[in-house]
Amino acid sequence: MSELPPPIKINPPLINSANPWASGDVDLERLYLCPSTGAVTTRTATLDGFNHDDAIHRYTFFDPSSPETSKSTNPTPQEASKAPAQKASLNTLGYSPYALIQYMQWIYKIYTTCSGTQPIKPFIISVTGTPTEVSECYTCIADYLSEYITAGHIYMEINLSCPNIPNKPPPAYSKDALVEYFRRLRFAMRDKLRPDLPRLPFGIKTPPYTHSSEYNELISALEEEGDQVSFITCTNTLGSCLVLSPEGDPVLPGNGIGGMAGAALHPLALGNVATIRRMLDERPSLKHITVIGIGGVEDEKGYKRMRAAGAGVVGVGTALGVKGVEVFEEIEKGLKGGW
């Protein structure tokens, strides 16, 4: 086995997921300054920015136990908080309209302007693209934020699991696709033309698996080429979901089909975390990988369940959109120091 990759260090072990409420500089700074977050995850970026169409790419909140949905799409946390039973979400979103360079500039600014007000906390920069593009993302981040990587404050998450991109199935369902990403990243880490670049810890974001064969694809790819992975973020939204209005019409644009998250996803997310953690622990070459558990966590009870399932770090997505950054302080208060 080759040398182990650098671990991620997040304390407290509570973060936001890559989501629309971590899109801009104001979002990121608000999350960074929140005393209850141990790290901040950016919305998933591409090298050139995603072609966002506001008429198509929308989200809504809904109550899993009734037909009640948001009165409008893309509600703000202030609007969503008025309907606390709407704890699940559905979205037709793609990736961030902002390019990777914009996120790196924002992070650099936050570090330079906020470093005197509190201890530095890590950023997880979420990226996606082809294997070649992700390899380029790795090099760009390692170059632009080298001083913070050396200090252990920057990680890269590779989102291989968005269900909303037409004609592009999530690569994390395929061993061969995963292996190609891992090989490209290994080349980037060993780039002889840039021996000055620091080692950037990276992980992958997986979709919600529902069958043993899907887990086996992941683990087989990790065993073959993925021993340099530092963490796995599980899980992303569940695709092919539909929310209808009381009149029977899709709530979201077009056919309304999108990715579901929040309370309705929680049991499946727990199962993914528990299964992946167990399978990693059964393999000495993969035991070092940290699992970041995401899916339906909205309070300290959900946090505890996710930790009990095997998550080393817990992420919050839909509840951030419903409650705002206050959700993290609410979770910390409920835990009473029992991280």
Side-chain angles (χ1 to χ4, degrees), residues 39-91:
V40 177
T41 307
T42 70
R43 186 175 178 184
T44 301
T46 60
L47 285 170
D48 300 318
F50 180 77
N51 185 21
H52 176 85
D53 185 340
D54 203 49
I56 298 173
H57 302 115
R58 312 289 292 178
Y59 64 84
T60 188
F61 300 116
F62 65 96
D63 180 351
S65 63
S66 79
E68 180 185 357
T69 65
S70 303
K71 294 183 179 180
S72 63
T73 57
N74 288 26
T76 65
Q78 291 75 20
E79 294 169 328
S81 64
K82 298 177 182 178
Q86 296 177 9
K87 300 178 180 181
S89 64
L90 187 75
N91 80 78

Side-chain angles (χ1 to χ4, degrees), residues 219-240:
I219 297 301
S220 181
L222 289 168
E223 289 184 302
E224 183 170 327
E225 284 287 347
D227 62 339
Q228 295 307 300
V229 170
S230 294
F231 64 95
I232 296 174
T233 304
C234 65
T235 173
N236 207 326
T237 59
L238 179 65
S240 296

